[in-house]
Amino acid sequence: RGDNGCARGIHFVFRSLVLLDNDKMSSTDTFTPATHSSFAFSSVPEPHAARRKAILAAHPEIRDLFGPCWQTKWTVLLVVGLHLHLAHLSVDMAVLPMLAMAWLIGGLMTSNLFLAGHEVSHNLAFDKPLYNKLLGFVVNAPICIPFTIPFAKYHHDHHREQGSIGVDCDLPTPLEASLFSAGGPVTKVAWMFLQLIFYSVRPLVVRPKTPGLWDALNLLSCLAFDIFLWTSPLFGPRAILYLLLSMLLGGGLHPAAAHFIAEHYLFPPGKGDPVDPSQETFSYYGPWNFVTYNVGHHNEHHDFPRIPGTRLHRVREIAPEFYSGLRHHVSYFHVLYAFVFDDRVGPFARVTRKKAE
């Protein structure tokens, strides 16, 4: 993984350019590693804007990958239809088989739908933002709780100011990280199991925003569909329970949800890996990308958020010299295992920085 000497050299040059590209940087630039009770801290700007600029200068053909993907809307309709079909089947199931299906299959479909919501938040299903928002309501329907509109607002902050304290709501709060680091593997498992709840509530605490018209429409569309499910003879309360369990189980201890941990949490380098303790975004290259809109290509996504998941893999193919020197994951199962049992990894293992002026 990244053993090529030339690629490492290019990566070193790129890191230097990140510093040179920002006239506020000086000899006092610092990187403070994470500890068991504090986040890592960097005085260097997030790396993606500088890398985007460098890649486009070297490979302007990358721009040909920009723009929406026609496949997304059909994938959404297929997954929503299958998920609702399973919700219908769950009505007559015993508890244990329903729980197993909610985790094994429902969890996978929920993860796929969350990441479809991620795609539409970047307007990558249609050219017009309006159509992306409306498709987001379809994505949201079997989730039962409104998320696509608020997610888009906070996710754009995550891209613009990655790691910025008080702005990037992808970061755990210090209290959250302290509570769930204290008990070792047990509390880390509990935090992972509940991470979707924290992911939803955290923005309301860290950076509350006034709800707008689209938030209201998102809420009303969800309520209308929930009422339909509750009153329909094909579904009913049991089907809603199945969908909610799929969301909770699929967003926590499920390999398809490991991307929540893999993307920005700091893992110690393995044998032969490039050693850059300040690397703060990590890609995953493996089979789960096939069902998660290639979200594993996360460095590539942050470098080029205008490229849809179906074309993200082409970025590394076109510009391998910018990615071969970066550490990456090859197993989501290993990500989950290491996060729980490696004492060097935990909720504090994130790079933070001051809010941009």
Side-chain angles (χ1 to χ4, degrees):
R1 289 188 284 174
D3 290 334
N4 184 281
C6 177
R8 291 188 184 187
I10 290 172
H11 178 55
F12 173 78
V13 171
F14 165 72
R15 292 290 301 176
S16 301
L17 288 174
V18 170
L19 301 181
L20 294 173
D21 197 52
N22 190 299
D23 57 12
K24 296 181 181 178
M25 293 296 101
S26 68
S27 60
T28 60
D29 297 334
T30 59
F31 176 80
T32 305
T35 69
H36 291 99
S37 59
S38 64
F39 297 107
F41 179 81
S42 176
S43 63
V44 178
E46 62 85 19
H48 300 289
R51 186 159 56 227
R52 181 184 311 122
K53 182 178 178 180
I55 292 175
L56 287 175
H59 299 282
E61 67 272 23
I62 289 280
R63 294 183 185 276
D64 295 338
L65 302 177
F66 291 4
C69 173
W70 66 269
Q71 299 172 0
T72 301
K73 57 183 176 293
W74 303 117
T75 302
V76 165
L77 292 174
L78 175 63
V79 174
V80 167
L82 288 173
H83 201 24
L84 291 176
H85 177 64
L86 293 180
H88 167 67
L89 294 179
S90 72
V91 172
D92 297 319
M93 282 185 171
V95 173
L96 288 180
M98 183 191 72
L99 287 173
M101 187 171 72
W103 184 75
L104 287 170
I105 307 175
L108 177 60
M109 292 189 174
T110 299
S111 292
N112 180 275
L113 290 172
F114 280 139
L115 292 164
H118 173 253
E119 290 287 293
V120 300
S121 76
H122 288 287
N123 294 321
L124 293 174
F126 298 97
D127 285 312
K128 293 185 178 181
L130 171 63
Y131 296 165
N132 285 279
K133 287 184 172 69
L134 294 176
L135 183 63
F137 290 174
V138 178
V139 168
N140 210 147
I143 304 299
C144 298
I145 298 172
F147 83 93
T148 53
I149 297 299
F151 170 80
K153 292 190 294 186
Y154 288 105
H155 186 64
H156 293 165
D157 291 341
H158 169 59
H159 274 270
R160 284 190 295 263
E161 296 200 44
Q162 179 177 305
S164 293
I165 299 168
V167 178
D168 183 1
C169 294
D170 193 66
L171 292 169
T173 65
L175 177 61
E176 183 185 336
S178 296
L179 288 175
F180 289 95
S181 296
V186 173
T187 51
K188 285 197 282 187
V189 166
W191 182 72
M192 292 169 67
F193 181 74
L194 298 171
Q195 67 181 326
L196 272 188
I197 295 175
F198 287 105
Y199 204 82
S200 302
V201 174
R202 191 186 302 140
L204 305 179
V205 176
V206 174
R207 191 174 168 81
K209 297 185 179 184
T210 304
L213 174 62
W214 280 102
D215 294 279
L217 293 175
N218 195 181
L219 174 61
L220 290 173
S221 68
C222 270
L223 285 175
F225 197 75
D226 291 347
I227 292 171
F228 162 73
L229 290 174
W230 186 278
T231 57
S232 171
L234 295 175
F235 297 101
R238 184 66 174 268
I240 293 179
L241 176 63
Y242 167 79
L243 293 172
L244 291 174
L245 285 171
S246 295
M247 177 185 64
L248 186 63
L249 297 173
L253 293 173
H254 194 289
H259 69 91
F260 286 115
I261 302 297
E263 291 164 359
H264 296 292
Y265 284 84
L266 305 177
F267 287 77
K271 185 177 179 180
D273 278 345
V275 179
D276 180 0
S278 65
Q279 182 182 335
E280 59 192 89
T281 304
F282 298 82
S283 289
Y284 157 80
Y285 304 126
W288 289 99
N289 282 325
F290 179 73
V291 291
T292 55
Y293 288 89
N294 276 326
V295 73
H297 293 255
H298 213 65
N299 265 302
E300 295 88 333
H301 168 62
H302 270 264
D303 292 346
F304 297 101
R306 293 175 60 192
I307 297 178
T310 52
R311 297 197 285 268
L312 268 180
H313 66 284
R314 292 282 295 124
V315 175
R316 190 167 67 124
E317 293 173 3
I318 292 171
E321 68 273 22
F322 288 92
Y323 297 100
S324 297
L326 296 174
R327 288 194 288 134
H328 61 271
H329 300 289
V330 295
S331 169
Y332 274 165
F333 289 103
H334 179 264
V335 165
L336 295 175
Y337 180 86
F339 187 84
V340 172
F341 294 106
D342 192 327
D343 191 47
R344 298 168 293 177
V345 187
F348 277 115
R350 290 288 298 265
V351 175
T352 61
R353 52 180 48 83
K354 291 183 180 179
K355 179 181 177 181
E357 298 297 334

